[in-house]
Amino acid sequence: MPRFAAIGLDHRHVYDLTAGLLAAGAVCAGHDPETSDPRVLTGFRKRFPDVPAMGRDRLLDDPSIDFVVLCSVPRDRAAMAIRAMRCGKDVMVDKPGVTTPDQLAAVEAAVAETGRIWSVALGRLTSASVQAALAVARSGELGRLVSLTSLAPHRLNRALRPAWFFDRAAYGGIINDIGLHSIDQFLAFADVSDATIAAATIGCFGTAPPGFEDFAEITLRSAAMTGSMRLDWFTPDGLADWGDGRLFLVGTEGTLELRKNLDLLGRPGGDHMFITCKQRTRYDGRADRPVAYYRDFLDDVRDRGGRMAEAGRLFSACRLALRCQAEAYRFVPVTS
């Protein structure tokens, strides 16, 4: 069974990644207790009490450890991933994997140099419902796809956020951070490795501290379809989840709506998919379906079978997110 180490316990996403890998059959050989947020470390130890604490150098130098999971402060992830790859480890990293074009170029060079796997655990990969929607789209049931609309609202949960969360240099900006999910999703549904940026907008609409990016919109085009994406940190506390994420697909023969987090009519859980075509409208709930990403990653670690071979598209998604972030029009809030 592949063995891994959890390094950089700075974001709570480390809980989901570790749990997904353990469920897929991996063994967590240790965790690095160095963190910028002791609450994340406490939560990790509560959830995984049998995973021993070890120093970072010891974990990276251990030849029995096959790969590392990185959830460090985003600006530090590229350097740590490169170090891990040069120590012979594959890497699964939380999004965003990089925060600057120079970091992305360095990661690409390290992958080419070492032959190691570098995978960003994006929402398209870790969501059974998005994978199901992608399968429907590729089956032809919707006809030719012409439009994708993605809504990705998030709850701020200010009390849970460490200081680096509000530092743009640390997280790379709203589009590079949470927008990377949406951009990668568009490339997958359009079945392309790159896209034209039709528009990108970022707003700092008053969420403290001043300058925090709390809203963004992106419009992308491929040769055959368009994609419109909205991201924000405005989910009200009254909602029963951290956000009401949605995906809408329009094809020449049908439409699909995916309610990722919740169903306003009260069906439990998330991953609610509604498909309408010429013959019927149907509902497909995916909340209990397994996610293949963790198993596929472990299989690639074992046999180098190329299941993570979409790295080329991953690099393109990261590059496109960085470009959108850099080129976006910035709204200045109107003050009275």
Side-chain angles (χ1 to χ4, degrees), residues 206-230:
T207 302
F212 178 70
E213 297 177 350
D214 49 21
F215 180 88
E217 289 181 330
I218 312 160
T219 302
L220 300 178
R221 287 199 314 267
S222 72
M225 66 180 287
T226 65
S228 299
M229 290 140 266
R230 190 199 79 208

Side-chain angles (χ1 to χ4, degrees), residues 7 14 56 65 67 90 117 137 160 170 174 177 185 223 273 278-279 291 300 315:
I7 295 178
V14 71
R56 183 171 299 183
I65 293 176
F67 67 97
D90 295 316
I117 299 167
L160 300 178
I174 187 172
D177 182 14
Q185 187 174 247
M273 188 162 62
K278 288 183 176 180
Q279 292 77 27
V291 174
D300 261 8
F315 289 138

Side-chain angles (χ1 to χ4, degrees), residues 183-250:
I183 290 169
D184 168 76
Q185 187 174 247
F186 173 78
L187 294 179
F189 278 94
D191 198 20
V192 295
S193 60
D194 202 358
T196 299
I197 303 171
T201 302
I202 291 173
C204 304
F205 289 122
T207 302
F212 178 70
E213 297 177 350
D214 49 21
F215 180 88
E217 289 181 330
I218 312 160
T219 302
L220 300 178
R221 287 199 314 267
S222 72
M225 66 180 287
T226 65
S228 299
M229 290 140 266
R230 190 199 79 208
L231 333 160
D232 66 66
W233 287 103
F234 293 132
T235 294
D237 288 342
L239 192 71
D241 205 286
W242 57 262
D244 186 9
R246 307 191 204 182
L247 171 68
F248 301 89
L249 301 175
V250 176

